Amino acid sequence: MSNTFGKYQVLDLTEGVAGPYATRLLAGYGFDVIKVEPPGGDWSRNAGPFPIGEPDPELSGLFLYLNVGKRSVTIDAATDGGRELIGKLAETADVILESRGPGGLAGLGLSYDSLAGKRPGVVVTSISPFGQCGPNSHYQGSEIVYQAMSGFLYRNGRADSPPLKQWGYLAQLVAGVNAATATLAALLGARLNGVGHHNDLSIQEAMLQFLHGTMMRWVLAGQVAPRGMNMVLSIQPLLPTADGEIQVTGGKVWAAMADSLDDPRLKDPKFATQDGRLEHKAELNAILIENLSRLGREEAFKMLSDRGVPVGYVRSAKDFYESPHERDRGYFKSYPNAKLGTIEIPGSPFIMSEIEWTSTRPPGLGEHTREVLSSVLSLSDGEIDSLAADGVIR
Amino acid sequence: MTAEYFPLAGIRVLALENNWAGPWCSKIFGDLGAEVIRIEAIQRYDPARGPIDREGGRQYAKPGDPSPPTERADTFLKANRNKLDLTLNLKDPAGKAVFVRLAAVSDVMVDNYSAHTMDQLGLGYPVLREVNPGIVMLSMPMNGAIGRDSNVRGYGGTGEVLSGMTSMTGYEGEGSIMSNFAIGDPVAGVHAAAAILLALLQRADTGTGQSIDLSQVDTMAGFAADGLMQYILRGENPVRRGNSDPRFAPHGVYRCAGEDSWVAIAVETDEQWRSLTKVLDDPGLASDGDLATAPGRLARRNLIDKALERWTGERTPQEAAEILQSAGIPAGPAFKNFELFEDPHIVAREFFEEVTHPIAGTYRYPGAAWKMSGTSLRTRLPAPLLGEHNDYVLRELLGFTDAEMNDLTEAKVIGREPIVDAWPR
C-alpha cells in the first residue's frame, strides 16, 4: 500500500495544537511535512503529559501525538537570516501552514499574493485565534477563551453550577481538522485547476460550528439556550450501572430496551409512547436504574448493543487503550523511541483501503535541520555550519 | 473582479446521510462547489426532518405554519444547504439499479448508516467499484466497520462516552459529565471530508478510488488523545479538573455582574500575571514573590481566584474581557447565544448570512467554519425539499423518460411526500 503524497512539500510553520493537528493528518498519510520549530521548540513539548520523572521535551505526550511523521528544523525566525531561510523554504513548498497570528505571513516577509505569483496553485493556510481580520483579531487566545467566546462554555456543565470547560483542546483540535480539510480542498482544487487559495482559519469561528442549533434557537424562537443537559429526552442520557455509566438515546429504541431488560414494569402502557415516557420520566429512570444496578457497564452495554440499541458506556483512557476492538482496528501504532525503547501513539481515526498511516516517529527538536537545508535548499555543510554559528539555526 | 472560484467544482458526491455527522461532511463539499446529491426515501427520510404531521422537537422555522413540518425543521435546514435531494427506495431492486447508475457517474459516495448497511443492501464498495473504479466511498459507523464491536450503534453522545472524552470532563472532584452538545457529530463529519479529499488527491495520480472506514468513536478519541497519552506514558487515567489547568493559574471561569454571567480567564505567562496584578490594582498580589511564577500561583490558586472574582464581580463579562485583553491577558466572555449575534467581531467577519428557503422562509443563519480567498462558502442553495431534484437527477443526469419516471413513482421507488413517519408517536 503506498501513497503518492510524498511529492507534496508542506512547510509547517505552526505551533501548538491547531496547526500541528492539521499537519498531523498530512504527515500521517505521507506528505513531506517540514516542521519549523523555534529554538526553544514547539510549546507543546512543554505541555506534557510526561512519563513519571523529570519532564523531558522529547517525551511530551501532546507533542508526540501531534507530530508523528514530520521532520523538524529549528530556525530562529526572530533573525534576518532565519526569515530568509523560511522564505526560501516557502518558495519550494506546495503547501504552507502558519499560526503566527494576524499578519503573521507579513511578519516573515511573505505574502500569499507574492507566493502565488511565483508558484500558482500554492496553498497557504493561516490559523489564528480570531482570524486574520476583524476588530478582535488581536485578542490573545487560550483554549478556555475559545470555548467561552464561541458560546460553548456557557451551555456546558450543569444548570446549578458554573459553566464547565470541556476536557483538553477541543476548540484548537476542531480548528485543526477544519484547517486540514480546507488545505486538502484547496490542494485538490489546485491539482485539478491550477489555482490555489489562502485559507483564513479562526479558531473561534471553527468552534462556532458546534453552536448552530444553539444559535438558531435564538433566531427561530427567541430563546436563550441554557446550560444543562437537554431534558426533552425521556431517559436521562447517562444511566448508572454497578460499576460505571452507560449512555442511551431514548425514543425509537425504547421497545428494544424494555425487551432486553426483561422487567414487566417496563411494559406498562404508560411508558409505550414518547409523550408518556416524558410525563413519567422520574419513575421510568428509577426502574431502569434499578435494573441496571445489577449489571456491570460493559455487560449492560453488550446486552443492549447486541439487540441493536444505540448505546455507549463511559470509558476511561485505560478502558479505551485496552479495548480489543481498537486493537482490531490497529488504532495504536508502535514507534521507536530513543529513551523509552518503543512508544505507542494513536494513529488515524479512519482506515483507508489504499493508503497506510505513517510509520515515521515524531522528530527530535531540530533533528532534520541539516538534512532539510542540504536536500531542499542545496546548502553546503559550510553554509549550514555558518548559519549555526550565527544562531540562525540550532 | 474575478469570478468566484470553487475548488471542488465538477465533483459529484452521493450522500446517504441522516442527522448531523453525515450531512456535516457533505455540506463541506457543497459549500466548495461540488454537486452533492442527498439520497433519502419516502419510506425512510432523514429523521432530522422530524415527524410528518406535527412539529416534534424544539425548533421549527415559521412555527405553526400549515406547510409540511418536514420542510421546516431546523435540525435539517442548518446542515443541508448547498445540496440537492433525490428520493430512492434502496430496498427496491429498481431503486438499487438507479443507485448503481448514479454511482457510475459520481466521484464520491458517503454514508452514515450503521456498519455494513451498504454491503447488506448489495451496494457496497466491491459492487460500486465494478461500475466505477474511480469511486471514493466512505462509511462512518459509530465504531467503524472493521473490528469485533462494529455492530455498536449510537447517536449524539455515544462517540463521546466511548472515546474516553466524557470520563475526563467534569467539575473538580466530581463525576463524569457529558457535554451538552453532540460534539461527536461535526467532529466525525469534518474528518470524513478530510479523508475523502485525501482519497481524491490520490486518485488524481492513480486514477483509482478506494474505500474508507471511519470510526466516529476514534475521531473523538483523537480529540482526547492527550488523555490517552497520559495513560500510555504514566499508567494513569486523567483526573477531572473542571476549569482549572495543571500548568497555569489563575485559569478558570469567574462570575461577573449580571444574571448567570461569566468570563473565562487564562494567565499563561508570568508577564501576563504581572499585567493582571496591575489591572487588579492589588499591590499585595504584585509584590508577593511566591506568586511570581506558575508553581507558586498554582499552590495558592484559591486565593488568587477569590481576588479575581471580587474584581470580575463588579463588571460585565464584556467589560472584564476588554480590560484584560487590552492588558494582553487571554480572557473572553462566556457568550450566551444571542450575544454571538451582537459580537462586533463575529459580525464584522460576516459570519452570519441571510438564507431564504421556499417553505421555511428567510432567516439569519450561521455560516462556514473558515474563510477562503476566491470563494465565499456562502449558501447558494437552501436546504432541499424531499425529492426536490428527482427530475434533474433522473431525467437530466440519467436520461429517464416520462414512462420510466411514472413507473418509479407508482412503485414508490421515488416520490415527493413522506409515507412512513420517521418519528411515530
Side-chain angles (χ1 to χ4, degrees):
Chain A
M1 244 206 266
S2 66
N3 65 71
T4 59
F5 301 142
K7 65 180 181 216
Y8 292 116
Q9 193 177 309
V10 178
L11 179 60
D12 181 5
L13 303 170
T14 70
E15 238 196 297
V17 177
Y21 188 77
T23 51
R24 166 185 218 271
L25 288 171
L26 303 180
Y29 282 107
F31 285 73
D32 176 15
V33 175
I34 296 169
K35 179 183 175 76
V36 174
E37 297 192 62
D42 185 329
W43 66 253
S44 68
R45 290 181 180 277
N46 300 321
F50 298 100
I52 302 205
E54 276 303 301
D56 181 337
E58 296 297 348
L59 295 177
S60 162
L62 183 65
F63 179 87
L64 293 172
Y65 167 67
L66 290 170
N67 295 287
V68 286
K70 304 175 193 174
R71 295 196 279 175
S72 169
V73 175
T74 323
I75 299 178
D76 189 350
T79 64
D80 289 340
R83 286 190 293 279
E84 196 184 317
L85 269 185
I86 289 173
K88 289 200 181 118
L89 286 170
E91 280 170 18
T92 60
D94 302 289
V95 176
I96 301 166
L97 292 97
E98 61 88 15
S99 60
R100 300 173 62 84
L105 280 179
L108 292 169
L110 300 172
S111 81
Y112 170 70
D113 287 338
S114 70
L115 288 164
K118 290 180 196 149
R119 211 179 155 93
V122 71
V123 171
V124 180
T125 295
S126 293
I127 300 168
S128 60
F130 298 94
Q132 293 297 307
C133 60
N136 295 341
S137 60
H138 61 286
Y139 266 23
Q140 300 297 307
S142 179
E143 178 63 32
I144 199 171
V145 171
Y146 305 129
Q147 293 195 19
M149 294 187 76
S150 58
F152 185 95
L153 184 64
Y154 176 77
R155 291 208 56 206
N156 214 36
R158 282 195 306 262
D160 62 3
S161 297
L164 177 67
K165 176 187 171 292
Q166 191 71 17
W167 169 272
Y169 300 93
L170 181 65
Q172 292 167 78
L173 289 164
V174 117
V177 67
N178 277 276
T181 302
T183 302
L184 288 167
L187 184 59
L188 181 63
R191 183 80 171 72
L192 300 176
N193 305 305
V195 183
H197 288 271
H198 186 190
N199 295 313
D200 172 10
L201 246 297
S202 153
I203 297 176
Q204 177 195 35
E205 243 164 40
M207 189 65 187
L208 281 169
Q209 69 195 282
F210 293 118
L211 278 292
H212 283 215
T214 299
M215 288 188 271
M216 292 315 291
R217 189 153 167 185
W218 177 253
V219 172
L220 297 174
Q223 290 174 356
V224 178
R227 185 154 59 256
M229 181 52 74
N230 174 11
M231 285 315 285
V232 303
L233 301 174
S234 57
I235 303 174
Q236 67 195 48
L238 287 182
L239 288 164
T241 67
D243 65 355
E245 291 143 312
I246 61 168
Q247 179 262 357
V248 281
T249 311
K252 276 199 314 188
V253 301
W254 164 252
M257 194 157 162
D259 207 45
S260 35
L261 288 176
D262 197 31
D263 181 332
R265 290 176 294 172
L266 295 174
K267 302 263 168 47
D268 190 323
K270 75 184 176 207
F271 295 137
T273 64
Q274 175 69 344
D275 289 342
R277 291 191 289 276
L278 268 171
E279 195 191 327
H280 303 282
K281 192 155 63 179
E283 190 186 337
L284 173 57
N285 283 313
I287 300 173
L288 288 174
I289 290 168
E290 195 193 304
N291 276 273
L292 291 169
S293 69
R294 290 190 274 273
L295 300 170
R297 61 172 195 239
E298 289 194 40
E299 195 187 342
F301 165 71
K302 188 139 186 17
M303 180 186 77
L304 293 169
S305 180
D306 284 349
R307 287 181 194 240
V309 175
V311 61
Y313 69 99
V314 177
R315 282 210 286 217
S316 66
K318 174 180 193 297
D319 294 331
F320 184 89
Y321 177 77
E322 292 177 351
S323 156
H325 176 77
E326 296 303 328
R327 296 288 149 181
D328 291 342
R329 292 185 65 77
Y331 180 69
F332 292 95
K333 303 260 182 261
S334 262
Y335 295 89
N337 183 284
K339 296 178 188 176
L340 301 175
T342 60
I343 182 172
E344 281 182 294
I345 301 176
S348 174
F350 45 86
I351 298 171
M352 303 184 74
S353 63
E354 299 301 314
I355 316 177
E356 223 160 39
W357 185 252
T358 184
S359 55
T360 302
R361 61 171 170 72
L365 177 59
E367 182 180 344
H368 306 93
T369 304
R370 222 163 248 281
E371 173 190 307
V372 167
L373 295 185
S374 71
S375 67
V376 177
L377 297 184
S378 304
L379 297 188
S380 68
D381 279 341
E383 285 167 315
I384 296 173
D385 289 339
S386 166
L387 288 168
D390 290 343
V392 168
I393 62 174
R394 302 293 166 89
Chain B
M1 184 167 145
T2 52
E4 199 166 8
Y5 156 63
F6 292 101
L8 302 186
I11 289 174
R12 180 172 293 130
V13 176
L14 302 181
L16 284 76
E17 57 184 33
N18 294 311
N19 298 311
W20 198 7
W24 213 243
C25 168
S26 70
K27 181 174 179 297
I28 289 171
F29 285 84
D31 290 351
L32 294 176
E35 181 179 87
V36 176
I37 303 173
R38 288 178 44 92
I39 300 178
E40 38 189 327
I42 60 176
Q43 300 86 354
R44 202 181 174 99
Y45 61 86
D46 188 335
R49 292 182 179 274
I52 293 179
D53 60 352
R54 66 195 187 281
E55 287 167 15
R58 213 174 49 237
Q59 277 163 215
Y60 281 77
K62 288 172 29 188
D65 189 90
S67 60
T70 46
E71 305 297 357
R72 292 186 287 109
D74 179 63
T75 41
F76 183 82
L77 295 172
K78 68 180 165 61
N80 293 288
R81 296 170 266 163
N82 289 335
K83 304 181 200 177
L84 312 178
D85 198 275
L86 170 73
T87 48
L88 212 51
N89 182 2
L90 293 179
K91 295 197 170 146
D92 186 307
K96 291 185 210 281
V98 172
F99 182 78
V100 172
R101 285 179 60 182
L102 256 183
V105 297
S106 300
D107 301 283
V108 178
M109 212 286 317
V110 55
D111 79 90
N112 73 320
Y113 295 153
S114 46
H116 316 298
T117 299
M118 295 308 291
D119 285 322
Q120 284 156 9
L121 287 170
L123 300 172
Y125 181 62
V127 172
L128 300 187
R129 176 174 55 182
E130 290 301 304
V131 296
N132 186 352
I135 198 162
V136 171
M137 190 159 167
L138 183 142
S139 297
M140 60 176 98
M142 178 54 61
N143 220 13
I146 293 168
R148 69 192 69 186
D149 295 336
S150 64
N151 67 333
V152 168
R153 302 174 63 208
Y155 296 104
T158 310
E160 189 200 317
V161 299
L162 287 174
S163 70
M165 167 71 85
T166 304
S167 72
M168 302 172 194
T169 303
Y171 295 97
E172 258 185 286
E174 296 187 27
S176 310
I177 290 195
M178 270 180 62
S179 79
N180 287 326
F181 303 83
I183 51 177
D185 289 63
V187 170
V190 180
H191 277 92
I196 292 167
L197 289 165
L198 282 167
L200 288 171
L201 263 170
Q202 171 103 334
R203 187 183 78 167
D205 286 322
T206 65
T208 51
Q210 60 190 295
S211 69
I212 307 167
D213 172 27
L214 180 143
S215 155
Q216 294 195 34
V217 170
D218 288 352
T219 61
M220 188 51 68
F223 275 25
D226 54 334
L228 296 177
M229 292 308 294
Q230 181 155 346
Y231 185 75
I232 289 170
L233 291 170
R234 301 179 66 87
E236 297 163 356
N237 279 321
V239 171
R240 288 177 287 276
R241 51 183 181 239
N243 296 317
S244 71
D245 189 282
R247 291 187 300 142
F248 305 133
H251 184 287
V253 178
Y254 301 87
R255 196 183 280 276
C256 294
E259 164 96 30
D260 196 20
S261 297
W262 307 84
V263 67
I265 303 171
V267 167
E268 294 178 350
T269 68
D270 298 337
E271 190 188 335
Q272 287 167 5
W273 167 249
R274 289 191 291 277
S275 292
L276 180 62
T277 60
K278 291 199 185 84
V279 167
L280 299 182
D281 198 20
D282 188 327
L285 287 179
S287 62
D288 189 334
D290 286 349
L291 302 181
T293 61
R297 292 194 291 278
L298 280 163
R300 289 166 62 197
R301 60 189 173 104
N302 291 335
L303 171 99
I304 300 173
D305 285 345
K306 285 196 176 70
L308 197 38
E309 208 157 55
R310 280 195 292 275
W311 183 84
T312 61
E314 293 171 348
R315 291 159 179 82
T316 66
Q318 280 84 344
E319 286 166 352
E322 260 173 68
I323 294 169
L324 292 168
Q325 285 284 0
S326 298
I329 298 163
F335 281 142
K336 298 167 183 147
N337 61 351
F338 65 91
E339 292 173 323
L340 297 169
F341 293 91
E342 296 168 356
D343 178 56
H345 181 75
I346 295 175
V347 169
R349 281 184 65 81
E350 298 181 352
F351 176 74
F352 298 103
E353 54 174 338
E354 206 167 74
V355 179
T356 296
H357 184 277
I359 289 182
T362 301
Y363 289 98
R364 208 171 166 202
Y365 269 84
W370 72 80
K371 298 196 174 347
M372 264 173 137
S373 65
T375 179
S376 67
L377 290 108
R378 284 290 149 203
T379 297
R380 305 179 316 280
L381 295 172
L385 312 181
L386 185 65
E388 182 176 348
H389 302 93
N390 288 352
D391 275 355
Y392 163 72
V393 175
L394 299 174
R395 290 182 197 270
E396 287 189 46
L397 289 188
L398 298 185
F400 275 64
T401 63
D402 282 351
E404 286 168 318
M405 296 293 289
N406 283 337
D407 287 345
L408 289 173
T409 307
E410 282 192 23
K412 296 188 169 39
V413 174
I414 67 174
R416 297 295 312 274
E417 308 218 356
I419 59 176
V420 176
D421 201 331
W423 296 92
R425 282 180 198 275

